[in-house]
Amino acid sequence: MGDATDCAIAAVARSAQEWGGFLLVGHGVPMELLTRVEEQIKGLFALPALEKERAARGGGYGYGVPPYILSFSKLMWSEGYTFSADDVRSEFRRIWPNGGDDYMRFCDVMEEFHKEMRALSKKVLDMFYKALGISADHIGEVESQIRDTMTTTMHLNMYPKCPEPERAMGLAPHTDSGFFTLILQSLVPGLQLLRRGPERWVTVPAVPGALAVVIGDLFHILTNGRFHSVLHRAIVNQDHERVSVPYFLGPPKDMKVAPLPAAILPGRKAEFRSVTWREYMVVREKMFGKDASALAMLRVTEDERDAELAPGMN
Ligand SMILES: O=C(O)CCC(=O)C(=O)O
Ligand SMILES: [Fe+2]
């Protein structure tokens, strides 16, 4: 994947435009490591409820579901754990206050995974740059800054078997807010992307060793809407529990994100205002559960564009 072929780059461009995501194979993260990650996560969620509650979610991190899913009416059939990938050892002291073998094994596996995924993320970003027409020898200051400062948040999802799957949802429809997400999933399908025109939910196949890549809202802004953030959800089933591990890549929380000049097509203008991730989350929170998109709030309006073209004329 280090030297992705022109054909692979064209496929990335096409799927990022049409779907907002794709399945990545041949990425080099060993399958055997992915299996160990899944085993550790199953072990974590199998702990007694009281032990998990010690790490109850606060300030965005910890055990529990992300707050946005509470604004949906359908029953959510999942458990979750969110943490900063750089702080595995301190975060999981909350679950294992005295350390010990289980703690060590869990942290070792998560750190190994983080190291591999971080390296992979940079390769994926470079593929996206190429797919936008920004070749390796034309990467500018902003592009390199993004590459060097990307942050990573990990989220662990556990969807137990559900006796009445049609009455529940694993994770409500949402877009990811950052740049892009690499998702490891069990060999049990459940992730679905919303395909446009006509709208329908399409299940992402569970291919051994593959990682799903999903584009987030800030990447939609960065690419001036050329790559679109995709609405996705997770469904549950009666026969198998399912684990998924989204590895979220994004900018530092206070870095301004605006359409990359090199990504704006000839004859077009920047269609989004610049925003930090922190600011974006405030807009997004207001939109949860409403039938409107936070991204739309950041679109530059015709009036603003006219004002920009003719300063001081009103
Ligand atoms: O379970 C999945 O496959 C999707 C998880 C997801 O989209 C998320 O946690 O943001
Ligand atoms: Fe997601």
Side-chain angles (χ1 to χ4, degrees):
M1 221 208 80
D3 33 16
T5 60
D6 289 352
C7 181
I9 298 297
V12 166
R14 210 168 41 243
S15 43
Q17 282 158 23
E18 291 173 16
W19 287 88
F22 52 89
L23 263 185
L24 187 64
V25 292
H27 46 65
V29 182
M31 175 102 158
E32 153 293 312
L33 172 60
L34 302 181
T35 309
R36 278 188 287 134
V37 169
E38 184 173 345
E39 269 167 23
Q40 287 301 317
I41 293 171
K42 285 186 172 161
L44 174 77
F45 286 112
L47 290 173
L50 279 176
E51 291 179 28
K52 292 185 280 192
E53 288 298 342
R54 279 191 207 137
R57 201 176 169 97
Y61 292 137
Y63 172 73
V65 292
Y68 75 87
I69 73 170
L70 302 175
S71 51
F72 291 84
S73 55
K74 216 168 187 183
L75 175 64
M76 296 297 152
W77 199 264
S78 62
E79 288 180 72
Y81 202 121
T82 312
F83 56 100
S84 158
D86 292 323
D87 296 331
V88 173
R89 288 189 194 261
S90 54
E91 175 64 43
F92 286 91
R93 277 282 174 171
R94 297 171 70 196
I95 294 276
W96 290 283
N98 306 317
D101 289 349
D102 289 350
Y103 164 78
M104 288 303 285
R105 245 189 314 271
F106 183 89
C107 294
D108 287 349
V109 173
M110 289 304 147
E111 283 186 343
E112 197 181 333
F113 179 65
H114 176 33
K115 190 163 157 248
E116 293 277 346
M117 295 295 276
R118 236 198 116 76
L120 175 61
S121 315
K122 294 195 172 182
K123 292 188 195 166
V124 173
L125 181 67
D126 283 343
M127 279 199 329
F128 280 130
Y129 283 160
K130 279 194 192 149
L132 288 165
I134 307 169
S135 67
D137 37 335
H138 285 98
I139 288 188
E141 208 174 303
V142 189
E143 288 85 356
S144 337
Q145 193 193 2
I146 287 172
R147 198 174 184 280
D148 296 341
T149 56
M150 274 201 300
T151 61
T152 44
T153 305
M154 272 172 75
H155 183 73
L156 316 175
N157 289 302
M158 159 60 87
Y159 309 97
K161 291 180 205 173
C162 179
E164 293 190 74
E166 57 295 329
R167 295 185 58 200
M169 183 54 69
L171 206 55
H174 65 282
T175 53
D176 290 348
S177 58
F179 284 155
F180 58 93
T181 311
L182 306 176
I183 306 174
L184 162 64
Q185 62 169 338
S186 298
L187 284 181
V188 177
L191 173 62
Q192 296 185 320
L193 305 189
L194 188 70
R195 180 77 160 124
R196 301 179 296 185
E199 284 195 351
R200 61 214 188 266
W201 288 105
V202 178
T203 301
V204 176
V207 175
L211 295 166
V213 183
V214 165
I215 290 175
D217 292 341
L218 292 184
F219 218 58
H220 191 114
I221 293 177
L222 198 75
T223 64
N224 208 31
R226 281 171 66 188
F227 294 172
H228 83 93
S229 68
V230 60
L231 211 56
H232 55 282
R233 67 180 189 182
I235 56 167
V236 288
N237 75 89
Q238 214 160 6
D239 305 315
H240 305 282
E241 65 179 10
R242 174 172 178 268
V243 165
S244 75
V245 189
Y247 187 85
F248 298 106
L249 281 307
K253 291 278 183 296
D254 292 308
M255 181 197 265
K256 284 280 186 194
V257 174
L260 286 173
I264 302 175
L265 293 169
R268 302 294 288 267
K269 300 205 173 62
E271 292 187 7
F272 296 92
R273 266 173 283 213
S274 80
V275 69
T276 66
W277 201 351
R278 197 188 298 281
E279 291 161 350
Y280 183 68
M281 292 311 282
V282 176
V283 180
R284 201 168 122 99
E285 221 137 277
K286 287 199 191 125
M287 307 312 279
F288 284 144
K290 300 203 183 106
D291 200 16
S293 121
L295 262 183
M297 306 286 294
L298 292 166
R299 265 191 184 278
V300 177
T301 62
E302 287 302 320
D303 287 355
E304 281 169 316
R305 241 189 237 142
D306 292 348
E308 205 179 292
L309 286 175
M313 291 212 14
N314 315 331

